[in-house]
């Protein structure tokens, strides 16, 4: 009896889909982003963007960047939240997990602040679903030898 071939996602698509699920935990009012750090096809840590533990969420206090009409990609220091990449790195550090030579999957391209952190954490590859208006982040990742791959989310899965 012939078995019907199952259309399985590739590893990059698989982990990026998990990052999309992680993003649903985000507490940010402007953008929901999820990140997954993977090494040798095993998930090391996950993170989503939002306020630190124990801090009142923006859904209650409102978004200062929104109130000040600050465009996406600018004035990160005015945001109460951490980015998904930061939370994933912090989760790994909290539990003593090395992320050296791992891959970061994210629903959105890292900003320059996150790119610098990923470089120094030893991330070797970044796979994203969509871009972000931060040219310098791309330049830093490129200069550090970290490959950046965009997977078109409109592509058939």
């Amino acid at each position: 009896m012939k078995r019907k071939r199952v259309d399985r996602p590739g590893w990059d698509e698989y982990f990026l889909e998990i990052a999309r699920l992680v993003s649903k935990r985000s507490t940010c009012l402007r953008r929901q982003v999820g990140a997954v750090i993977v090494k040798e096809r095993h998930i090391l840590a996950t993170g989503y963007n939002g306020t630190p533990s124990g801090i009142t969420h923006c859904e209650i206090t409102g978004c200062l960047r929104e109130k000040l009409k600050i465009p996406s990609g600018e004035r990160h220091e005015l945001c109460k939240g951490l980015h998904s990449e930061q939370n994933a790195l912090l989760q790994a550090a909290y539990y003593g997990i090395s992320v050296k030579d791992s891959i970061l999957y994210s629903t959105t391209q890292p900003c320059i602040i996150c790119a610098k952190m990923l470089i120094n954490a030893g991330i070797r590859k970044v796979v994203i679903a969509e871009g972000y208006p931060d040219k310098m982040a791309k330049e830093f990742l490129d200069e550090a030898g970290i490959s950046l791959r965009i997977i078109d989310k409109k592509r058939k899965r």
Side-chain angles (χ1 to χ4, degrees):
M1 174 186 207
K2 273 190 171 180
R3 291 179 61 150
K4 188 176 182 178
R5 174 142 165 70
V6 178
D7 188 23
R8 296 172 60 193
W11 287 108
D12 284 349
E13 291 82 7
Y14 171 74
F15 289 118
L16 195 54
E17 194 61 33
I18 292 171
R20 286 187 183 104
L21 178 61
V22 171
S23 76
K24 293 181 180 184
R25 291 281 305 152
S26 170
T27 61
C28 181
L29 299 174
R30 295 180 84 174
R31 178 190 303 256
Q32 287 66 51
V33 182
V36 179
I37 299 175
V38 174
K39 187 171 187 177
E40 298 174 4
R41 298 182 181 158
H42 294 285
I43 296 173
L44 303 179
T46 65
Y48 51 86
N49 60 326
T51 56
S53 298
I55 303 297
T56 306
H57 293 242
C58 297
E59 64 188 6
I60 295 167
T61 63
C63 175
L64 178 60
R65 294 178 73 228
E66 194 68 29
K67 288 175 189 171
L68 297 175
K69 298 181 181 5
I70 296 171
S72 183
E74 297 178 17
R75 303 291 315 267
H76 297 288
E77 76 278 6
L78 295 177
C79 181
K80 287 176 66 172
L82 292 162
H83 288 184
S84 63
E85 303 92 334
Q86 295 167 348
N87 273 325
L89 290 171
L90 289 167
Q91 183 185 69
Y94 188 85
Y95 289 104
I97 300 167
S98 172
V99 298
K100 185 175 187 269
D101 296 323
S102 59
I103 301 170
L104 176 95
Y105 293 88
S106 180
T107 56
T108 304
Q109 177 201 304
C111 71
I112 185 59
I113 296 167
C114 291
K116 291 186 278 188
M117 290 180 180
L118 296 171
I119 291 165
N120 275 5
I123 299 292
R124 66 174 171 83
K125 179 179 175 182
V126 175
V127 179
I128 61 173
E130 64 183 30
Y132 187 72
D134 195 329
K135 183 180 173 188
M136 186 181 269
K138 284 183 187 177
E139 291 170 355
F140 269 49
L141 292 172
D142 186 49
E143 184 176 343
I146 297 173
S147 70
L148 178 65
R149 179 175 179 217
I150 301 173
I151 295 179
D152 183 356
K153 63 183 176 181
K154 294 176 183 145
R155 192 170 69 179
K156 285 185 179 180
R157 295 180 197 161

